[in-house]
Amino acid sequence: MHEFLRNLPKVELHLHIEGSLEPELMFALAQRNGIELPYTTVREAKDAYHFNDLQGFLNLYFQGMSVLRNEEDFYDLAMDYFKRAREEGVVHIDMHFDPQAHLQRGVPLEVVMAGLLKAKQEAEDKLDLSIGMIMAFLRDRPAEEALHVLEQAAPYWKMLDAIGLDSAEHNNPPLKFVEVFKRAKQLGLVRVAHAGEEGPAEYIKEALDVLDVQRIDHGVRCLESDEVVERLRREQVVLTVCPLSNVSLKVVEDLRDHPLPKLLAEGLKVTISSDDPAYFGGGMLTNHIACADAFGWDEAVFRQLTRNAIEEAFVTPQRRQELMARLATA
Ligand code: HPA
Ligand code: ZN
């Protein structure tokens, strides 16, 4: 089974590139940029990665990315993950990135975009990996700021596959961002949003109704509302579920208690992603193996999950066909 999962052409729809920053690279970039970290060894950093909730993680996530200052830092960050993912048998990644988290620290949007776009180009040319770009807004920051960043990103609109919404969900309902998402829609940009990770099922409904999203990131708390489950099933809205993330952030106690099997049994369009692999114990292959071990799924289940992800990935029709063909022979 592990060999099958390694060879499966895995498609990742939910990945924060800043959350792929491994402590080894974090130390190297800190040294390169003369930045002081609160850890002295890789071991110490990893030992600090124990979280009680989403906010506890976000604090370390924002601290970790403080080492990213120049174009080459963003390039190194992305290439480091792309290579690792490819080795795990990943063939496509829709990558979230958080411009506000960098702008706040005085890093210009141009620097972030240049580094990430260079890595995307190289991955597509040389690694046989396709990359989607999701510019995410921090929901615990003011909506006016997000709107300003969206306008500032005008030179990059045509390079974006979607806009997203992430960070602290509690008390930051989708409704807060109605104007931002309306503007994105007007610009012809696809919309996705985190909802129902720590927030209630109501936020999933709100993200669909008010933000008109085509994808729900996480969404596991939909099971608290029959109405929301019915809606997700009827419209076959894809959920980008991140099993090891949910365990790390204590959305569930243990992977064996995870609602994934229930979500599948409800007929929902489920996919598996790693979210923040450097912080949550591993990438796509580790997440797949953990699910095989916890749920005893057979190959057919993983094929279905992968088919779901290929159908929903931000790729050209030609690439989608190519990935489907690869899945058929895996
Ligand atoms: N949830 C919300 N915001 C995030 C996450 C997450 O899992 N990872 C990075 N930003
Ligand atoms: Zn996420």
Side-chain angles (χ1 to χ4, degrees):
M1 181 50 101
H2 292 191
E3 208 40 42
F4 166 78
L5 292 175
R6 176 175 289 280
N7 294 330
L8 190 68
K10 293 173 288 299
V11 165
E12 177 155 53
L13 302 184
H14 182 167
L15 176 276
H16 302 264
I17 197 65
E18 295 92 342
S20 76
L21 176 62
E22 291 291 341
E24 289 80 1
L25 183 59
M26 183 169 72
F27 276 106
L29 297 183
Q31 188 163 36
R32 185 154 94 190
N33 293 327
I35 288 166
E36 198 143 344
L37 288 170
Y39 325 104
T40 51
T41 62
V42 165
R43 171 95 251 149
E44 232 179 88
K46 285 188 177 164
D47 283 346
Y49 294 173
H50 294 284
F51 313 109
N52 293 317
D53 53 20
L54 176 56
Q55 190 59 56
F57 154 70
L58 288 168
N59 296 341
L60 293 201
Y61 169 78
F62 290 123
Q63 179 179 81
M65 69 175 82
S66 69
V67 301
L68 303 166
R69 299 230 58 106
N70 304 306
E71 177 182 329
E72 67 173 331
D73 304 333
F74 288 91
Y75 168 82
D76 288 344
L77 166 75
M79 276 317 286
D80 191 58
Y81 182 64
F82 294 165
K83 285 182 183 155
R84 212 163 38 246
R86 194 66 199 85
E87 277 163 18
E88 292 185 8
V90 174
V91 291
H92 176 84
I93 302 165
D94 282 336
M95 158 176 86
H96 277 73
F97 60 100
D98 286 328
Q100 286 159 286
H102 310 303
L103 286 164
Q104 260 177 65
R105 302 181 290 110
V107 179
L109 184 61
E110 294 68 30
V111 166
V112 178
M113 295 307 294
L116 296 181
L117 287 169
K118 184 170 170 225
K120 166 184 156 83
Q121 185 70 48
E122 196 170 316
E124 292 180 339
D125 290 347
K126 298 189 185 152
L127 293 183
D128 179 28
L129 186 63
S130 44
I131 306 293
M133 303 279 288
I134 303 174
M135 177 180 273
F137 297 108
L138 303 178
R139 66 200 305 157
D140 47 350
R141 311 265 318 163
E144 296 70 32
E145 183 181 291
L147 199 52
H148 177 73
V149 173
L150 178 59
E151 296 302 335
Q152 194 186 341
Y156 306 104
W157 287 339
K158 61 179 182 302
M159 297 159 209
L160 298 179
D161 292 279
I163 65 154
L165 190 63
D166 60 8
S167 200
E169 194 177 0
H170 277 313
N171 300 319
N172 293 297
L175 186 58
K176 178 175 164 186
F177 292 89
V178 60
E179 292 305 326
V180 182
F181 278 62
K182 214 190 268 176
R183 175 71 177 136
K185 185 174 183 177
Q186 197 181 58
L187 293 170
L189 290 168
V190 170
R191 284 107 23 234
V192 306
H194 284 53
E197 178 189 20
E198 283 200 342
E202 177 63 28
Y203 282 14
I204 298 173
K205 183 174 183 293
E206 203 173 288
L208 292 168
D209 287 340
V210 179
L211 305 185
D212 195 13
V213 296
Q214 85 172 41
R215 199 185 270 184
I216 295 287
D217 292 314
H218 292 293
V220 290
R221 287 191 59 191
C222 69
L223 291 171
E224 292 166 23
S225 161
D226 291 344
E227 182 199 335
V228 172
V229 169
E230 173 54 29
R231 168 91 177 271
L232 293 171
R233 179 173 41 236
R234 193 173 59 240
E235 298 178 10
Q236 285 294 288
V237 177
V238 67
L239 303 181
T240 64
V241 179
C242 306
L244 291 180
S245 164
N246 293 156
V247 176
S248 288
L249 300 188
K250 302 204 163 46
V251 172
V252 294
E253 264 307 306
D254 188 285
L255 191 55
R256 281 164 297 187
D257 309 325
H258 197 283
L260 260 165
K262 182 96 200 303
L263 296 170
L264 279 174
E266 289 284 358
L268 304 188
K269 191 162 193 179
V270 173
T271 61
I272 289 179
S273 293
S274 73
D275 209 7
D276 301 279
Y279 292 91
F280 299 151
M284 282 292 271
L285 182 57
T286 311
N287 270 274
H288 279 68
I289 289 174
C291 287
D293 293 346
F295 310 129
W297 287 343
D298 60 12
E299 292 185 6
V301 176
F302 288 105
R303 282 181 192 282
Q304 184 58 52
L305 295 169
T306 304
R307 192 172 305 117
N308 292 346
I310 296 174
E311 281 174 5
E312 297 287 340
F314 297 136
V315 289
T316 62
Q318 189 195 337
R319 178 71 174 166
R320 201 179 319 278
Q321 234 175 25
E322 198 179 302
L323 297 181
M324 281 297 184
R326 262 200 235 187
L327 174 60
T329 58

